[in-house]
Protein backbone atom coordinates (compact mmCIF):
# COMPACT_ATOMS: atom_id res chain seq x y z
CA UNK A 1 0.00 0.00 0.00
CA UNK A 2 1.53 3.34 -0.94
CA UNK A 3 1.78 6.02 1.67
CA UNK A 4 -1.63 7.66 1.59
CA UNK A 5 -2.71 10.47 3.88
CA UNK A 6 -5.60 9.90 6.26
CA UNK A 7 -7.76 12.18 4.17
CA UNK A 8 -7.08 10.19 1.01
CA UNK A 9 -7.99 6.98 2.82
CA UNK A 10 -11.12 8.59 4.20
CA UNK A 11 -12.33 9.73 0.78
CA UNK A 12 -11.29 6.47 -0.83
CA UNK A 13 -13.16 4.30 1.66
CA UNK A 14 -16.15 6.67 1.97
CA UNK A 15 -16.43 8.50 -1.35
CA UNK A 16 -18.90 11.40 -1.27
CA UNK A 17 -21.38 12.28 -4.04
CA UNK A 18 -20.86 9.16 -6.13
CA UNK A 19 -23.16 8.62 -9.12
CA UNK A 20 -24.74 10.82 -11.77
CA UNK A 21 -27.02 13.80 -11.23
CA UNK A 22 -30.42 13.47 -12.83
CA UNK A 23 -30.93 15.51 -15.99
CA UNK A 24 -27.42 17.05 -15.81
CA UNK A 25 -26.71 20.63 -16.94
CA UNK A 26 -23.22 19.59 -18.00
CA UNK A 27 -21.16 16.43 -18.45
CA UNK A 28 -17.37 16.13 -18.46
CA UNK A 29 -15.36 13.02 -19.14
CA UNK A 30 -11.62 12.57 -19.08
CA UNK A 31 -9.31 9.62 -19.43
CA UNK A 32 -5.82 9.30 -18.08
CA UNK A 33 -3.38 8.28 -20.80
CA UNK A 34 -0.88 7.06 -18.22
CA UNK A 35 -3.05 4.32 -16.78
CA UNK A 36 -6.26 4.29 -18.84
CA UNK A 37 -8.46 5.29 -15.92
CA UNK A 38 -11.64 7.29 -16.55
CA UNK A 39 -13.61 9.91 -14.69
CA UNK A 40 -17.02 11.33 -15.51
CA UNK A 41 -18.50 14.36 -13.78
CA UNK A 42 -22.11 15.48 -14.06
CA UNK A 43 -23.25 18.84 -12.69
CA UNK A 44 -26.54 20.56 -12.01
CA UNK A 45 -26.30 24.32 -12.42
CA UNK A 46 -28.70 26.85 -10.93
CA UNK A 47 -28.26 30.64 -10.94
CA UNK A 48 -24.67 30.21 -12.15
CA UNK A 49 -23.84 27.98 -9.18
CA UNK A 50 -23.06 24.28 -8.96
CA UNK A 51 -26.12 23.09 -7.11
CA UNK A 52 -25.22 19.42 -7.36
CA UNK A 53 -22.24 17.45 -8.59
CA UNK A 54 -21.65 13.73 -8.88
CA UNK A 55 -19.07 11.52 -10.55
CA UNK A 56 -18.29 8.04 -11.69
CA UNK A 57 -14.67 7.05 -11.44
CA UNK A 58 -13.18 3.95 -12.98
CA UNK A 59 -9.76 4.18 -11.51
CA UNK A 60 -7.34 3.68 -8.70
CA UNK A 61 -7.90 4.59 -5.07
CA UNK A 62 -6.20 7.95 -5.44
CA UNK A 63 -8.43 8.81 -8.41
CA UNK A 64 -11.52 7.94 -6.39
CA UNK A 65 -10.35 10.09 -3.47
CA UNK A 66 -9.57 12.93 -5.90
CA UNK A 67 -13.02 12.85 -7.49
CA UNK A 68 -14.68 12.75 -4.08
CA UNK A 69 -12.66 15.75 -2.93
CA UNK A 70 -13.35 17.70 -6.15
CA UNK A 71 -17.07 17.14 -5.73
CA UNK A 72 -16.96 18.51 -2.19
CA UNK A 73 -14.86 21.50 -3.24
CA UNK A 74 -17.13 22.33 -6.18
CA UNK A 75 -20.53 22.03 -4.56
CA UNK A 76 -22.17 25.42 -3.99
CA UNK A 77 -19.45 27.32 -5.83
CA UNK A 78 -20.15 29.68 -8.72
CA UNK A 79 -19.02 28.40 -12.11
CA UNK A 80 -16.17 30.91 -12.20
CA UNK A 81 -14.98 29.83 -8.76
CA UNK A 82 -15.20 26.16 -9.70
CA UNK A 83 -13.18 26.83 -12.87
CA UNK A 84 -10.37 28.07 -10.62
CA UNK A 85 -10.05 24.81 -8.70
CA UNK A 86 -6.75 23.28 -9.77
CA UNK A 87 -5.54 19.71 -9.64
CA UNK A 88 -2.76 20.89 -7.37
CA UNK A 89 -5.23 22.36 -4.89
CA UNK A 90 -7.15 19.11 -4.88
CA UNK A 91 -4.00 17.15 -4.07
CA UNK A 92 -3.18 19.66 -1.33
CA UNK A 93 -6.67 19.41 0.17
CA UNK A 94 -6.16 15.67 0.33
CA UNK A 95 -3.02 16.18 2.37
CA UNK A 96 -0.80 15.33 -0.59
CA UNK A 97 -0.49 12.27 -2.78
CA UNK A 98 2.47 9.92 -3.11
CA UNK A 99 4.77 11.05 -5.94
CA UNK A 100 3.89 8.18 -8.24
CA UNK A 101 0.19 8.98 -7.74
CA UNK A 102 0.30 12.68 -8.57
CA UNK A 103 -0.86 11.94 -12.10
CA UNK A 104 -4.10 10.59 -10.64
CA UNK A 105 -5.02 14.04 -9.36
CA UNK A 106 -4.85 15.40 -12.90
CA UNK A 107 -8.19 13.88 -13.77
CA UNK A 108 -10.20 15.57 -11.05
CA UNK A 109 -10.36 19.27 -11.79
CA UNK A 110 -10.08 18.58 -15.54
CA UNK A 111 -13.27 16.52 -15.54
CA UNK A 112 -15.09 19.16 -13.50
CA UNK A 113 -13.93 21.94 -15.83
CA UNK A 114 -15.04 19.95 -18.85
CA UNK A 115 -18.51 19.57 -17.35
CA UNK A 116 -18.68 23.35 -16.81
CA UNK A 117 -17.50 24.01 -20.36
CA UNK A 118 -20.07 21.56 -21.65
CA UNK A 119 -22.77 23.44 -19.75
CA UNK A 120 -21.60 26.79 -21.09
CA UNK A 121 -21.55 25.52 -24.68
CA UNK A 122 -25.14 24.36 -24.36
CA UNK A 123 -26.16 27.71 -22.89
CA UNK A 124 -24.66 29.47 -25.87
CA UNK A 125 -26.48 27.21 -28.26
CA UNK A 126 -29.83 27.74 -26.57
CA UNK A 127 -29.25 31.50 -26.21
CA UNK A 128 -28.01 31.95 -29.75
FE1 LIG B 1 -4.86 5.75 -12.86
FE2 LIG B 1 -4.44 6.64 -10.54
S1 LIG B 1 -3.44 4.96 -11.45
S2 LIG B 1 -5.71 7.48 -12.01
Amino acid sequence: MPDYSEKVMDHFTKPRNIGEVEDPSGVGEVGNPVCGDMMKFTIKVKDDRIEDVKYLTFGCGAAIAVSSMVSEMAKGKTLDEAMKITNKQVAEELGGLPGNKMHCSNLGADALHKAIENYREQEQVSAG
Side-chain angles (χ1 to χ4, degrees):
M1 199 72 180
D3 210 4
Y4 286 128
S5 74
E6 255 174 56
K7 245 182 170 175
V8 172
M9 287 311 290
D10 183 43
H11 278 269
F12 168 51
T13 51
K14 295 190 286 291
R16 337 289 202 253
N17 309 312
I18 253 185
E20 288 186 80
V21 301
E22 227 173 278
D23 194 17
S25 319
V27 182
E29 252 179 296
V30 291
N32 189 325
V34 179
C35 60
D37 289 353
M38 298 272 304
M39 208 179 273
K40 178 180 180 185
F41 265 79
T42 49
I43 55 171
K44 191 91 195 162
V45 178
K46 203 179 164 202
D47 299 333
D48 213 42
R49 262 178 207 281
I50 299 191
E51 190 183 45
D52 202 7
V53 45
K54 289 192 170 34
Y55 57 86
L56 291 172
T57 295
F58 306 92
C60 69
I64 290 168
V66 162
S67 44
S68 175
M69 179 54 88
V70 169
S71 72
E72 283 210 322
M73 288 168 79
K75 211 177 226 182
K77 283 210 165 57
T78 66
L79 297 180
D80 284 342
E81 285 166 353
M83 280 306 276
K84 288 193 192 120
I85 297 174
T86 64
N87 294 315
K88 193 166 162 265
Q89 279 170 0
V90 176
E92 277 166 13
E93 283 289 325
L94 282 169
L97 285 166
N100 62 345
K101 286 277 163 190
M102 276 312 282
H103 79 267
C104 314
S105 73
N106 292 342
L107 292 175
D110 290 356
L112 173 72
H113 296 164
K114 269 202 169 176
I116 294 170
E117 279 159 16
N118 176 247
Y119 164 74
R120 286 182 161 161
E121 279 160 22
Q122 292 177 50
E123 282 294 281
Q124 274 169 12
V125 172
S126 59

Coordinates of all heavy atoms in Angstrom, one line a residue, residues 50-99:
I50 N -23.0 25.7 -8.9 CA -23.1 24.3 -9.0 C -23.9 23.8 -7.8 O -23.5 23.8 -6.6 CB -21.7 23.6 -8.9 CG1 -20.9 24.1 -10.1 CG2 -21.8 22.1 -8.9 CD1 -19.6 23.4 -10.4
E51 N -25.2 23.5 -8.1 CA -26.1 23.1 -7.1 C -25.9 21.6 -6.7 O -25.9 21.3 -5.5 CB -27.5 23.2 -7.7 CG -28.6 23.1 -6.6 CD -30.0 23.1 -7.3 OE1 -30.2 22.5 -8.3 OE2 -30.8 23.8 -6.8
D52 N -25.5 20.8 -7.7 CA -25.2 19.4 -7.4 C -24.1 18.9 -8.3 O -24.0 19.4 -9.4 CB -26.5 18.6 -7.5 CG -26.4 17.3 -6.7 OD1 -25.4 17.1 -6.0 OD2 -27.3 16.4 -6.9
V53 N -23.3 18.0 -7.8 CA -22.2 17.5 -8.6 C -22.0 16.0 -8.2 O -22.0 15.7 -7.0 CB -20.9 18.3 -8.5 CG1 -20.7 18.7 -7.0 CG2 -19.7 17.6 -9.0
K54 N -21.9 15.1 -9.2 CA -21.6 13.7 -8.9 C -20.6 13.2 -9.9 O -20.4 13.9 -10.9 CB -22.9 12.9 -9.0 CG -23.9 13.1 -7.8 CD -25.0 12.1 -7.8 CE -25.9 12.0 -6.7 NZ -26.4 12.7 -5.9
Y55 N -20.1 12.0 -9.6 CA -19.1 11.5 -10.6 C -19.1 10.0 -10.5 O -19.5 9.4 -9.6 CB -17.7 12.0 -10.1 CG -17.4 11.6 -8.7 CD1 -16.9 10.3 -8.4 CD2 -17.8 12.4 -7.7 CE1 -16.7 9.9 -7.1 CE2 -17.6 12.0 -6.3 CZ -17.1 10.7 -6.1 OH -16.9 10.3 -4.8
L56 N -18.6 9.5 -11.6 CA -18.3 8.0 -11.7 C -16.8 7.9 -12.0 O -16.4 8.6 -13.0 CB -19.1 7.4 -12.8 CG -20.6 7.3 -12.5 CD1 -21.4 6.8 -13.7 CD2 -20.9 6.4 -11.3
T57 N -16.1 7.2 -11.2 CA -14.7 7.0 -11.4 C -14.3 5.6 -11.6 O -14.6 4.8 -10.7 CB -13.9 7.7 -10.3 OG1 -14.1 9.1 -10.2 CG2 -12.4 7.4 -10.4
F58 N -13.7 5.3 -12.7 CA -13.2 3.9 -13.0 C -11.7 4.1 -12.9 O -11.0 4.4 -13.8 CB -13.6 3.4 -14.4 CG -15.1 3.5 -14.6 CD1 -15.7 4.7 -15.1 CD2 -15.9 2.5 -14.2 CE1 -17.0 4.8 -15.3 CE2 -17.3 2.6 -14.3 CZ -17.9 3.7 -14.9
G59 N -11.2 3.9 -11.7 CA -9.8 4.2 -11.5 C -9.2 3.7 -10.2 O -9.9 3.0 -9.4
C60 N -8.0 4.1 -9.9 CA -7.3 3.7 -8.7 C -7.9 4.4 -7.5 O -8.7 5.3 -7.6 CB -5.9 4.0 -8.8 SG -5.5 5.7 -8.8
G61 N -7.4 4.0 -6.3 CA -7.9 4.6 -5.1 C -7.7 6.1 -5.0 O -8.5 6.8 -4.5
A62 N -6.5 6.5 -5.5 CA -6.2 7.9 -5.4 C -7.2 8.7 -6.3 O -7.6 9.8 -6.0 CB -4.8 8.2 -5.9
A63 N -7.5 8.1 -7.5 CA -8.4 8.8 -8.4 C -9.8 8.9 -7.8 O -10.5 9.9 -7.9 CB -8.5 8.0 -9.7
I64 N -10.2 7.9 -7.1 CA -11.5 7.9 -6.4 C -11.5 9.0 -5.3 O -12.4 9.8 -5.2 CB -11.9 6.6 -5.8 CG1 -12.2 5.6 -7.0 CG2 -13.1 6.6 -4.9 CD1 -12.2 4.1 -6.6
A65 N -10.5 9.1 -4.5 CA -10.3 10.1 -3.5 C -10.3 11.5 -4.1 O -11.0 12.4 -3.6 CB -9.1 9.9 -2.6
V66 N -9.6 11.6 -5.2 CA -9.6 12.9 -5.9 C -11.0 13.4 -6.4 O -11.4 14.5 -6.1 CB -8.6 12.8 -7.1 CG1 -8.8 14.0 -8.1 CG2 -7.2 12.9 -6.6
S67 N -11.7 12.4 -7.0 CA -13.0 12.8 -7.5 C -14.0 13.2 -6.3 O -14.7 14.1 -6.4 CB -13.6 11.8 -8.4 OG -13.5 10.5 -7.8
S68 N -13.8 12.5 -5.2 CA -14.7 12.7 -4.1 C -14.4 14.1 -3.5 O -15.2 14.9 -3.3 CB -14.4 11.7 -3.0 OG -15.1 12.0 -1.8
M69 N -13.1 14.4 -3.4 CA -12.7 15.8 -2.9 C -13.1 16.9 -3.9 O -13.6 17.9 -3.4 CB -11.1 15.8 -2.7 CG -10.6 17.1 -2.2 SD -11.4 17.7 -0.7 CE -10.4 16.9 0.6
V70 N -12.9 16.7 -5.2 CA -13.3 17.7 -6.1 C -14.8 18.0 -6.0 O -15.3 19.1 -6.0 CB -13.0 17.3 -7.6 CG1 -13.7 18.2 -8.6 CG2 -11.5 17.2 -7.8
S71 N -15.6 16.9 -5.8 CA -17.1 17.1 -5.7 C -17.4 18.0 -4.5 O -18.3 18.9 -4.5 CB -17.8 15.8 -5.7 OG -17.6 15.1 -4.5
E72 N -16.7 17.7 -3.4 CA -17.0 18.5 -2.2 C -16.5 20.0 -2.4 O -17.2 20.9 -1.9 CB -16.2 17.9 -1.0 CG -16.9 16.7 -0.5 CD -16.7 16.5 1.0 OE1 -15.5 16.8 1.5 OE2 -17.6 16.1 1.7
M73 N -15.4 20.1 -3.0 CA -14.9 21.5 -3.2 C -15.8 22.3 -4.2 O -15.9 23.5 -4.0 CB -13.4 21.4 -3.8 CG -12.4 21.0 -2.8 SD -10.8 20.6 -3.6 CE -10.1 22.2 -3.8
A74 N -16.4 21.6 -5.1 CA -17.1 22.3 -6.2 C -18.6 22.7 -5.8 O -19.1 23.7 -6.2 CB -17.2 21.5 -7.5
K75 N -19.1 21.9 -4.9 CA -20.5 22.0 -4.6 C -20.8 23.4 -4.0 O -20.1 23.8 -3.0 CB -20.9 20.9 -3.6 CG -22.4 20.6 -3.7 CD -22.8 19.4 -2.8 CE -23.6 18.4 -3.6 NZ -24.0 17.3 -2.8
G76 N -21.8 24.1 -4.5 CA -22.2 25.4 -4.0 C -21.4 26.6 -4.5 O -21.7 27.7 -4.3
K77 N -20.3 26.3 -5.3 CA -19.4 27.3 -5.8 C -20.1 27.9 -7.1 O -20.8 27.2 -7.8 CB -18.1 26.8 -6.2 CG -17.2 26.6 -5.0 CD -15.7 26.8 -5.4 CE -14.8 26.9 -4.2 NZ -14.8 25.9 -3.2
T78 N -19.7 29.2 -7.4 CA -20.1 29.7 -8.7 C -19.3 29.0 -9.8 O -18.2 28.4 -9.5 CB -19.9 31.2 -8.8 OG1 -18.5 31.4 -8.8 CG2 -20.6 32.0 -7.7
L79 N -19.8 29.1 -11.0 CA -19.0 28.4 -12.1 C -17.6 29.0 -12.2 O -16.6 28.2 -12.5 CB -19.8 28.5 -13.4 CG -21.2 27.9 -13.4 CD1 -21.8 28.1 -14.8 CD2 -21.1 26.4 -13.1
D80 N -17.5 30.3 -12.1 CA -16.2 30.9 -12.2 C -15.2 30.4 -11.1 O -14.1 30.1 -11.3 CB -16.3 32.4 -12.1 CG -16.8 33.0 -13.5 OD1 -16.7 32.3 -14.5 OD2 -17.2 34.2 -13.5
E81 N -15.8 30.3 -9.9 CA -15.0 29.8 -8.8 C -14.6 28.4 -9.0 O -13.4 28.0 -8.8 CB -15.8 29.9 -7.5 CG -15.9 31.3 -6.9 CD -17.0 31.3 -5.8 OE1 -17.8 30.3 -5.6 OE2 -17.1 32.4 -5.2
A82 N -15.5 27.6 -9.5 CA -15.2 26.2 -9.7 C -14.2 26.0 -10.8 O -13.3 25.1 -10.8 CB -16.5 25.4 -10.0
M83 N -14.2 26.9 -11.8 CA -13.2 26.8 -12.9 C -11.8 27.1 -12.3 O -10.8 26.7 -13.0 CB -13.5 27.9 -14.0 CG -14.6 27.4 -14.9 SD -14.3 25.8 -15.7 CE -13.3 26.3 -17.1
K84 N -11.7 27.7 -11.2 CA -10.4 28.1 -10.6 C -9.8 27.0 -9.7 O -8.6 27.1 -9.3 CB -10.5 29.4 -9.8 CG -10.7 30.6 -10.7 CD -10.5 31.9 -9.9 CE -10.9 33.0 -10.8 NZ -12.0 33.8 -10.1
I85 N -10.6 25.9 -9.5 CA -10.1 24.8 -8.7 C -9.0 24.1 -9.6 O -9.3 23.8 -10.7 CB -11.2 23.8 -8.4 CG1 -12.2 24.5 -7.5 CG2 -10.6 22.6 -7.7 CD1 -13.4 23.6 -7.2
T86 N -7.8 23.9 -9.0 CA -6.8 23.3 -9.8 C -6.5 21.9 -9.2 O -6.8 21.6 -8.1 CB -5.4 24.1 -9.7 OG1 -5.0 24.1 -8.3 CG2 -5.6 25.5 -10.2
N87 N -5.9 21.1 -10.1 CA -5.5 19.7 -9.6 C -4.6 19.7 -8.5 O -4.6 18.9 -7.6 CB -4.9 19.0 -10.8 CG -5.9 18.7 -11.9 OD1 -7.1 18.3 -11.6 ND2 -5.6 19.0 -13.2
K88 N -3.7 20.8 -8.5 CA -2.8 20.9 -7.4 C -3.5 21.2 -6.1 O -3.1 20.6 -5.0 CB -1.8 22.0 -7.7 CG -0.6 22.1 -6.9 CD 0.5 23.0 -7.5 CE 1.5 23.4 -6.4 NZ 1.2 24.7 -5.8
Q89 N -4.5 22.1 -6.1 CA -5.2 22.4 -4.9 C -5.9 21.1 -4.4 O -6.0 20.9 -3.2 CB -6.3 23.4 -5.2 CG -5.8 24.8 -5.2 CD -6.9 25.7 -5.8 OE1 -8.0 25.3 -6.1 NE2 -6.6 27.0 -5.8
V90 N -6.4 20.3 -5.3 CA -7.1 19.1 -4.9 C -6.2 18.2 -4.1 O -6.5 17.7 -3.1 CB -7.8 18.4 -6.1 CG1 -8.4 17.1 -5.7 CG2 -8.8 19.3 -6.8
A91 N -5.0 18.0 -4.7 CA -4.0 17.2 -4.1 C -3.6 17.7 -2.7 O -3.5 17.0 -1.7 CB -2.8 17.0 -5.0
E92 N -3.5 19.0 -2.6 CA -3.2 19.7 -1.3 C -4.3 19.4 -0.3 O -4.0 19.1 0.9 CB -2.9 21.2 -1.5 CG -1.5 21.4 -2.0 CD -1.3 22.9 -2.5 OE1 -2.2 23.7 -2.3 OE2 -0.3 23.1 -3.2
E93 N -5.5 19.6 -0.7 CA -6.7 19.4 0.2 C -6.7 18.0 0.7 O -7.2 17.7 1.8 CB -8.0 19.7 -0.6 CG -8.3 21.1 -0.7 CD -8.7 21.8 0.6 OE1 -9.3 21.2 1.4 OE2 -8.4 23.0 0.7
L94 N -6.2 17.1 -0.1 CA -6.2 15.7 0.3 C -5.0 15.4 1.2 O -4.7 14.2 1.6 CB -6.1 14.8 -0.9 CG -7.5 14.6 -1.6 CD1 -7.2 13.9 -3.0 CD2 -8.4 13.7 -0.8
G95 N -4.2 16.4 1.5 CA -3.0 16.2 2.4 C -1.9 15.6 1.6 O -1.0 14.9 2.1
G96 N -1.9 15.8 0.3 CA -0.8 15.3 -0.6 C -1.1 13.9 -1.1 O -1.9 13.2 -0.5
L97 N -0.4 13.6 -2.2 CA -0.5 12.3 -2.8 C 0.9 11.8 -3.0 O 1.8 12.5 -3.2 CB -1.2 12.3 -4.1 CG -2.7 12.5 -4.1 CD1 -3.2 12.9 -5.5 CD2 -3.4 11.2 -3.7
P98 N 1.1 10.5 -2.9 CA 2.5 9.9 -3.1 C 2.9 10.3 -4.5 O 2.1 10.4 -5.4 CB 2.3 8.4 -3.0 CG 1.0 8.2 -2.3 CD 0.1 9.4 -2.6
G99 N 4.2 10.5 -4.7 CA 4.8 11.0 -5.9 C 4.3 10.3 -7.2 O 3.9 10.9 -8.2

